[in-house]
Amino acid sequence: MLKRRWLVTVAVALVLGTSVGAVAAAAPSIAAVTCPQCYGLSGLGDGVYAERDDAGYRRAVDAAQRRIDAFYGGRQAHARVLICATDACYRRIGGGREKGKALGTRALLLSPAGAGEVIATHELAHLELHQRLGAARGKVPHWFDEGLAVLVSDDPRYLGSGSDRCRLPYDQAVAVTRTSWAAATAGGTDGGYLQAACVVSRWKSGHDVLKFIADLRAGKTFDAAFSR
């Protein structure tokens, strides 16, 4: 029995594109993704499962996918999306205090607070970037990953509506590139997201994200690809 469980864990890890250790640590989430119905979730079509049969959930995911399509010119990541209508459901499938979280590059969990277009887009943006980067994913610092996801989701909490999207002076924002993400978001503040969104939005105005990804996959360092 133990051997069988280990083989199942390895198989699921390969499907989700994550490590065996990560699968073991996130067993409830992996189990829920593998069998959403076992956790009380119903299929809404096209890989979307929800605790409540609500067409609004599908509309939110569809809109999020369209944003990814528009930003990247298509999607390479195709995730199974699990949506909870209650906090109890989200805890049951392995969620925590976050609004949503990605598992590898193949699955996404959304909490009641994250079951909308903006958060769904943000999390799908992580999946898309990671899928496109492949083995080069580890070169990208957390601040850039989060800043790009904010930009793709056009999150009004962290981006302004003018030609310069920064909601704080750039000289303050750029500090996020010189510290750890944990330090930038210490105390649960949104400061790191505001900084990252500012830096990435300013960078994106003069750079091609697809070229940036191609450079990283071709062997360039993050600093070299970012500065082009």
Side-chain angles (χ1 to χ4, degrees):
M1 178 63 72
L2 181 59
K3 182 178 180 180
R4 181 180 179 183
R5 288 178 181 173
W6 177 251
L7 290 174
V8 170
T9 298
V10 172
V12 174
L14 292 174
V15 169
L16 292 178
T18 189
S19 69
V20 173
V23 171
S29 297
I30 300 304
V33 170
T34 304
C35 181
Q37 297 88 343
C38 299
Y39 286 75
L41 306 182
S42 302
L44 302 183
D46 294 331
V48 180
Y49 296 82
E51 182 184 17
R52 188 171 63 210
D53 187 4
D54 185 339
Y57 291 147
R58 269 306 307 272
R59 288 195 295 270
V61 174
D62 288 345
Q65 291 173 338
R66 286 194 295 270
R67 289 199 189 196
I68 302 297
D69 282 331
F71 188 88
Y72 280 102
R75 284 185 297 123
Q76 293 183 7
H78 299 281
R80 176 169 282 192
V81 182
L82 275 57
I83 305 173
C84 280
T86 63
D87 292 334
C89 164
Y90 195 59
R91 289 193 297 271
R92 190 164 60 247
I93 65 173
R97 299 175 63 183
E98 70 285 336
K99 290 183 173 66
K101 69 177 182 178
L103 300 178
T105 58
R106 294 289 184 269
L108 171 63
L109 312 182
L110 292 175
S111 73
E117 181 180 344
V118 172
I119 300 302
T121 304
H122 182 110
E123 298 302 332
L124 289 175
H126 286 311
L127 291 170
E128 187 67 25
L129 178 63
H130 299 169
Q131 178 68 32
R132 288 172 178 269
L133 285 170
R137 172 185 173 184
K139 297 180 180 181
V140 175
H142 206 145
W143 67 262
F144 183 90
D145 197 348
E146 292 295 345
L148 188 62
V150 170
L151 184 62
V152 177
S153 64
D154 198 23
D155 194 327
R157 294 175 299 172
Y158 310 122
L159 290 169
S161 58
S163 57
D164 186 353
R165 310 297 306 277
C166 293
R167 285 191 172 277
L168 75 172
Y170 186 81
D171 288 347
Q172 294 180 21
V174 75
V176 76
T177 68
R178 300 189 292 267
T179 188
S180 69
W181 185 247
T185 55
T189 67
D190 289 343
Y193 290 93
L194 284 166
Q195 292 174 300
C198 175
V199 173
V200 174
S201 65
R202 184 79 65 88
W203 173 84
K204 174 62 174 63
S205 67
H207 294 82
D208 183 340
V209 173
L210 295 182
K211 180 64 167 63
F212 166 78
I213 292 172
D215 284 346
L216 290 176
R217 290 179 62 96
K220 289 187 179 294
T221 65
F222 173 81
D223 288 342
F226 185 77
S227 64
R228 286 182 62 86

